[in-house]
Amino acid sequence: MHKRKSGKSVIVLCLLLVLVSSLYSKDLSYKEITLDNVSRYTEDRIAYQQVEYVIDPEVHQRQDTSSASLLIIKDKNMYLFKDGFDDPRIVEENRLIKEMENRLVINDMWTRPIDGKPDYLLITDRRVEVLKKFIVEDKNENLAERYSNFYVKMRDSFIQKHVNIFRGLMINRKDSDFKMNRVPLPKRLRDEGPTKYSTFAVAKTKDGQVYYAEDSDGDGITETFSVELPDGFHWGSKSGPNILFILKNRQENIKGMIGTLTKEAYEGTPEEEKIINKQFDQLDKEIPALMDDIIRMDFDTERVLNEAK
């Protein structure tokens, strides 16, 4: 009887943990960036989207499992770079062939991983195609070095600038609507190891940009980072964060930029520690005078103390 109750308690606890996690975690649904569906091109802006994860392989088997897109809109021209690009038409054709041959394995159609070198570039002027370059599936190539260098430089600079802003929002927590939550992850029965925690952090700039960082598996490394502005810019219904969206990152160089964000959200940033240390330096000078001011000895006690010396 006791074992049954214990088992039920564990199940209830797991359900509660899942519920709590869902309350704090973010909706990670998205659509891959396509120029045909960009809502407007009349304002200059940049967006980066990187996905290395499929929420439900059974449902999303026609969804690329490893893809990065950099969108730049400048002077009504749109530039779309893709890294890990697989031509959807070829993927669908191969899928149908394997399906007919009864050899289909879920999500095995998307063969090209993200490697930090773009293999697709589309340029439009007022939605009219000006240039289109992409590497065919069976060739282990990338775009010309000129395009690749530009892509990597702009991608890294763009991500780092937003990481710096998020750190600034962490330092100024009281004025940035900063929220941080840690949720214990469910453990298997008889697992006596240390409890791991998912960590979620969110903050908002004064102009309404919402920053979000997540370590979902409790390994201490941030793998999801997003920035969005609810200004109506999108590339389709429920297309996801419209400025920056990195989902389940596995790239080492990007890990170097975003990997510590949730840890810093929980433990504090080095900059915050410096501010606290400066405060203690000042307190070290001021507190003795404060004690003299607020702790006063009455005349009789002081007289008795002096006579006893």
Side-chain angles (χ1 to χ4, degrees):
M1 185 68 178
H2 175 71
K3 288 184 178 179
R4 285 186 179 179
K5 287 185 177 180
S6 177
K8 288 181 179 179
S9 298
V10 170
I11 293 172
V12 171
L13 177 60
C14 290
L15 290 173
L16 287 174
L17 291 176
V18 170
L19 177 61
V20 171
S21 176
S22 66
L23 289 174
Y24 292 125
S25 60
K26 181 182 176 62
D27 177 12
L28 299 177
S29 59
Y30 70 95
K31 286 183 179 176
E32 191 172 335
I33 299 176
T34 57
L35 295 191
D36 291 340
N37 295 324
V38 169
S39 57
R40 57 182 184 268
Y41 58 84
T42 54
E43 61 185 76
D44 297 347
R45 63 192 301 156
I46 302 173
Y48 179 72
Q49 179 189 78
Q50 177 187 306
V51 175
E52 296 180 270
Y53 175 74
V54 173
I55 297 172
D56 185 345
E58 291 285 351
V59 176
H60 301 98
Q61 57 182 299
R62 297 186 182 182
Q63 183 173 310
D64 198 337
T65 55
S66 180
S67 175
S69 302
L70 175 65
L71 170 64
I72 299 174
I73 303 177
K74 182 77 168 65
D75 299 329
K76 298 182 180 179
N77 291 325
M78 292 192 286
Y79 306 81
L80 179 61
F81 292 85
K82 287 185 178 291
D83 180 8
F85 172 76
D86 289 286
D87 190 331
R89 292 172 299 179
I90 295 176
V91 170
E92 180 64 12
E93 182 179 298
N94 290 338
R95 189 189 70 81
L96 291 173
I97 292 172
K98 286 197 173 186
E99 202 171 55
M100 287 187 293
E101 296 174 350
N102 200 26
R103 295 189 298 117
L104 181 64
V105 178
I106 294 174
N107 281 119
D108 71 337
M109 298 290 96
W110 307 94
T111 59
R112 181 173 281 154
I114 295 172
D115 61 4
K117 298 176 182 178
D119 25 56
Y120 175 96
L121 170 61
L122 176 61
I123 302 174
T124 65
D125 182 353
R126 295 172 178 82
R127 297 195 190 277
V128 177
E129 185 177 309
V130 175
L131 175 69
K132 185 174 185 178
K133 290 180 175 290
F134 65 92
I135 307 302
V136 296
E137 182 182 9
D138 59 348
K139 290 188 177 181
N140 187 22
E141 299 176 357
N142 297 99
L143 295 182
E145 187 175 358
R146 176 71 180 88
Y147 300 129
S148 294
N149 291 343
F150 176 87
Y151 166 81
V152 172
K153 179 181 178 181
M154 297 306 155
R155 178 202 64 185
D156 290 356
S157 178
F158 184 67
I159 295 172
Q160 189 60 59
K161 284 180 181 294
H162 282 293
V163 167
N164 293 343
I165 291 173
F166 187 58
R167 282 205 172 98
L169 295 172
M170 279 196 276
I171 294 170
N172 189 31
R173 297 178 185 226
K174 64 182 184 300
D175 296 323
S176 63
D177 290 335
F178 186 88
K179 295 180 178 63
M180 193 281 301
N181 290 288
R182 296 179 82 226
V183 180
L185 294 171
K187 297 168 66 174
R188 293 182 178 180
L189 290 174
R190 300 184 182 86
D191 182 356
E192 297 180 358
T195 300
K196 291 185 177 182
Y197 292 81
S198 291
T199 305
F200 314 91
V202 62
K204 184 185 293 186
T205 63
K206 290 184 178 179
D207 64 354
Q209 294 185 60
V210 178
Y211 283 73
Y212 177 82
E214 175 183 305
D215 166 21
S216 62
D217 56 9
D219 65 352
I221 298 172
T222 305
E223 70 278 335
T224 295
F225 181 52
S226 71
V227 186
E228 59 184 313
L229 179 65
D231 64 346
F233 179 78
H234 59 81
W235 41 88
S237 175
K238 297 182 179 180
S239 54
N242 59 1
I243 296 177
L244 175 62
F245 185 48
I246 299 173
L247 177 62
K248 304 295 183 183
N249 173 63
R250 294 199 295 264
Q251 305 302 308
E252 285 298 320
N253 63 322
I254 292 177
K255 174 184 171 182
M257 289 186 272
I258 72 170
T260 61
L261 291 178
T262 49
K263 185 174 185 291
E264 291 173 8
Y266 177 61
E267 298 179 356
T269 65
E271 292 80 6
E272 287 176 291
E273 187 175 6
K274 288 180 181 178
I275 292 172
I276 295 297
N277 287 337
K278 287 182 180 179
Q279 290 177 354
F280 271 91
D281 289 341
Q282 191 67 25
L283 289 172
D284 190 48
K285 299 174 183 177
E286 296 177 349
I287 294 304
L290 175 64
M291 286 191 287
D292 289 341
D293 185 53
I294 64 176
I295 304 173
R296 296 182 179 275
M297 190 179 297
D298 64 79
F299 177 78
D300 289 337
T301 303
E302 186 176 5
R303 177 179 57 79
V304 171
L305 184 63
N306 289 332
E307 290 176 352
K309 289 182 180 179

